[in-house]
Amino acid sequence: MDNGLKTGELEPDVAAAHEAFVRRLHGVQARIAQALADAGREATAVQLLAVSKTFNAAAVRELAGCGQRAFGENYVQEALDKQQALCDLPLEWHFIGPIQSNKTRAIAENFSWVHSIDRQKVAERLSAQRPAHLPPLQVCIELNVSGEATKGGVAIAELPALADALSMLPGLQLRGLMAIPAPATDPAIQRAAFRQVRTALESLIARGYALDTLSMGMSADLEAAILEGATIVRVGTALFGERNTHE
Ligand SMILES: *Cc1c(COP(=O)(O)O)cnc(C)c1O
C-alpha cells in the first residue's frame, strides 16, 4: 500500500502516528467492505463519513492524508475553526449535530451536507441563508427511532409533513434520512432499529420523493446498518480513537 510517504523520512513518532491512522482507516474500510459483501451489495454502495468532533485540525489533516475526504462535525464553532485551518485541503464537510436557530447561517454558508434536520423552522432558515453561488444544501431528516423524548429527531408520524415542507425549499435538496438509534449490543436489536429507518425511507419514496441516502451506523453498529441499507456510515471512535471529552 503506497500512501505517498516514505516513513523513513519522518520523525519516528510522527511516522508512528501516521501508521496508526492508516491502520484504523483500513480497518474501518475492511469492516465496511465485509458488511457490504455479506449484504450482497455493491462494494461502492457506502460512503464513509469521518466524525472528527473533539479531534483537532492536525488529526483531520492526518486522516485526509490517508485519502479520507468527507468529515462530520457536531459543533459549529469547533467546525469553523477546523475548516479555516484546513482550507488548503479539498474536504467535504457534513453537519451532524443538533441545530440551534442562531447557528443556521454559519451552517448554511460552510457545509455541503446537514444530516440532523428535525424542525421546519430550522429548514426554512437554512434554505433562506444558503448562498446563491453554492449548490443547494444536501440534507437528511433525522428520524427518532428509539422514541426517547429527550433525543433529537422527528417522530415517524411527523415525517411525511416535514418532508413535504422541506421539498418546497429551494436552498435545500432532500436526500434521505439519518438516525442515531439507542445503543444496543444485540445485532438483532440494532438491525430492527435500522430497518425502521429504511422502511420510513421506502414509504417516502412511495410518496414520490427521489431519495437515495440512509445516514446510519457508527463505530459500534455499522455492520448492522449496512445490512439494513445504510449508504453513509458516520464513524468517529474507530477512526480517531476514544474521545476524552464528555458529550
Ligand atoms: C459522535 C457521532 C458519531 C460517531 O460516533 P462513534 O461512536 O464515535 O463512531 C456519529 N454520528 C453522530 C451524530 C455523532 O454525534
Side-chain angles (χ1 to χ4, degrees), residues 51 53 74 96 178 180 218-219 234-237 243:
V51 176
K53 62 167 177 242
N74 296 56
I96 62 174
M178 184 272 247
I180 316 171
M218 314 199 298
S219 294
R234 308 178 311 270
V235 178
T237 315
R243 289 181 290 275

Side-chain angles (χ1 to χ4, degrees), residues 62-85:
E62 195 65 63
L63 199 57
C66 304
Q68 178 63 29
R69 249 193 99 228
F71 289 86
E73 289 281 341
N74 296 56
Y75 310 105
V76 174
Q77 191 53 52
E78 180 190 331
L80 297 185
D81 292 344
K82 271 177 246 185
Q83 288 173 351
Q84 192 163 22

Side-chain angles (χ1 to χ4, degrees), residues 17 23 47 117 156 174 179 182 228 231:
R23 184 168 33 77
Q47 187 197 357
I117 293 188
I156 288 187
L174 181 60
E228 295 298 338
T231 64

Side-chain angles (χ1 to χ4, degrees), residues 74-195:
N74 296 56
Y75 310 105
V76 174
Q77 191 53 52
E78 180 190 331
L80 297 185
D81 292 344
K82 271 177 246 185
Q83 288 173 351
Q84 192 163 22
L86 298 163
C87 63
D88 57 311
L89 298 177
L91 303 181
E92 179 180 275
W93 294 96
H94 296 227
F95 191 79
I96 62 174
I99 304 170
Q100 296 167 265
S101 292
N102 64 350
K103 297 285 167 58
T104 53
R105 181 175 298 282
I107 294 171
E109 291 177 350
N110 293 287
F111 288 82
S112 299
W113 280 71
V114 176
H115 294 228
S116 43
I117 293 188
D118 62 0
R119 278 179 298 153
Q120 186 176 338
K121 180 181 159 215
V122 157
E124 286 168 353
R125 291 176 63 95
L126 288 170
S127 175
Q129 293 166 341
R130 181 67 170 172
H133 69 276
L134 294 177
L137 200 52
Q138 307 298 298
V139 303
C140 293
I141 294 175
E142 182 178 348
L143 191 62
N144 184 335
V145 280
S146 39
E148 294 164 58
T150 53
K151 282 262 185 72
V154 67
I156 288 187
E158 295 158 21
L159 180 59
L162 185 57
D164 289 351
L166 253 74
S167 66
M168 309 297 289
L169 298 172
L172 308 185
Q173 182 175 359
L174 181 60
R175 296 293 296 271
L177 300 176
M178 184 272 247
I180 316 171
T185 50
D186 180 349
I189 294 174
Q190 294 174 353
R191 286 188 62 169
F194 292 131
R195 197 173 309 131

